[in-house]
Amino acid sequence: MRLRNKPWADDFMRENDHIVVQKPFECKENWKSIFENKENPLHLEIGSGKGQFIAGMGKQHPDINFVGIERVKSVIVGALKKVMDSEAKNVRLVNEDAEDLRDLFAANEVDHIYLNFSDPWPKNRHEKRRLTYHTFLEQYEGVLVPGGEVTLKTDNRGLFEYSLMSFSQYGMLIEDVSVDLHADEDPLNVPTEYEEKFSAKGQPIYRCTAKFRT
Ligand code: SAM
């Protein structure tokens, strides 16, 4: 992803604090209260990039509340524009590093986590950085409801196979697997920016959902 310095990014995010949460750590245990419909489930995307997925999901599922976390300021402003254009009222963005989700969310606060085209970290010595390494799964379990789910989409076969193994070794139930998502033609699939880019090059898109045991 090409990064351009955007000196206006801070002001733009502050001006739109109804979408970009300004003090996200203070929302821990109270995320539901920042949404209009506080009873709706909460879904989280880690590494939202320019926001096509989170904005599209918000529009497609008005009965779900969404939070997208993206650490790069010059990238999250793209997501902010997409959420604004979508007019979805159920999407919030957080400009933080999702280093440990347990700092941001309390136990049982999240219903579903999406990992879309996360960095694959192919070298063995970088295994710990993969967002499906078991220490990350521990974090996810720590904020998800019992039986909460994680959905991974990627173009990277190595990361996909590794993640299936990691979910399974952690004792999660693999619920849904596609090794060519676009050939499967899921009418509810909301493509991300990276997904469109890789798919246009003819690369298959892999997707799986894994559920923590209750
Ligand atoms: N999900 C988008 C898509 O599919 O088009 C973007 C994919 S891009 C390869 C990965 C994104 O995740 C980048 O924008 C990066 O800044 C973000 N990211 C990676 N690790 C993160 C973390 N720990 N916390 C927040 N954002 C992160």
Side-chain angles (χ1 to χ4, degrees):
M1 192 174 291
R2 201 147 60 101
L3 299 181
R4 284 201 198 95
N5 186 28
K6 294 181 177 152
W8 45 268
D10 279 320
D11 285 344
F12 186 50
M13 286 194 283
R14 263 195 301 271
E15 283 157 17
N16 291 290
D17 60 358
H18 59 297
I19 297 174
V20 183
V21 182
Q22 297 298 302
K23 293 184 176 169
F25 294 98
E26 293 180 10
C27 292
K28 185 174 173 178
E29 284 188 278
N30 290 305
W31 280 95
K32 283 189 188 257
S33 70
I34 68 165
F35 289 93
E36 281 173 21
N37 189 333
K38 301 170 190 359
E39 300 314 312
N40 284 352
L42 185 66
H43 288 201
L44 184 66
E45 184 189 19
I46 302 175
S48 296
K50 293 182 184 167
Q52 181 164 297
F53 178 80
I54 201 95
M57 289 292 276
K59 194 84 181 157
Q60 189 180 88
H61 301 281
D63 50 346
I64 297 174
N65 294 328
F66 292 91
V67 174
I69 306 182
E70 170 53 56
R71 66 181 168 197
V72 179
K73 213 181 281 185
S74 59
V75 173
I76 199 173
V77 287
L80 173 54
K81 286 181 189 166
K82 289 219 177 68
V83 174
M84 290 167 80
D85 290 347
S86 76
E87 296 181 2
K89 302 275 180 271
N90 53 335
V91 180
R92 300 289 180 272
L93 299 172
V94 170
N95 181 211
E96 289 291 342
D97 194 317
E99 218 172 1
D100 192 335
L101 288 182
R102 292 167 297 196
D103 295 335
L104 278 166
F105 298 91
N108 303 323
E109 203 163 21
V110 180
D111 294 86
H112 200 122
I113 293 175
Y114 299 96
L115 307 172
N116 289 323
F117 298 83
S118 312
D119 300 327
W121 295 109
K123 291 183 181 152
N124 281 343
R125 67 188 157 91
H126 291 148
E127 180 190 3
K128 289 180 183 167
R129 299 185 192 177
R130 296 176 197 151
L131 291 185
T132 49
Y133 185 62
H134 69 86
T135 54
F136 283 103
L137 301 184
E138 271 164 38
Q139 286 185 34
Y140 306 156
E141 191 175 26
V143 301
L144 281 163
V145 295
E149 294 168 318
V150 179
T151 297
L152 170 87
K153 277 203 282 189
T154 182
D155 63 301
N156 188 291
R157 192 179 173 108
L159 178 67
F160 186 67
E161 288 174 353
Y162 171 85
S163 302
L164 285 175
M165 197 185 62
S166 186
F167 290 144
S168 164
Q169 281 176 352
Y170 198 85
M172 297 172 77
L173 291 170
I174 313 276
E175 290 188 317
D176 165 55
V177 175
S178 172
V179 292
D180 193 347
L181 180 59
H182 292 195
D184 292 348
E185 295 183 5
D186 175 356
L188 292 179
N189 180 50
V190 176
T192 77
E193 280 89 354
Y194 270 63
E195 181 172 346
E196 286 188 341
K197 195 171 78 177
F198 290 122
S199 184
K201 289 182 186 164
Q203 289 177 230
I205 304 301
Y206 304 94
R207 184 179 71 184
C208 66
T209 294
K211 184 184 174 92
F212 286 99
R213 288 181 193 269
T214 48

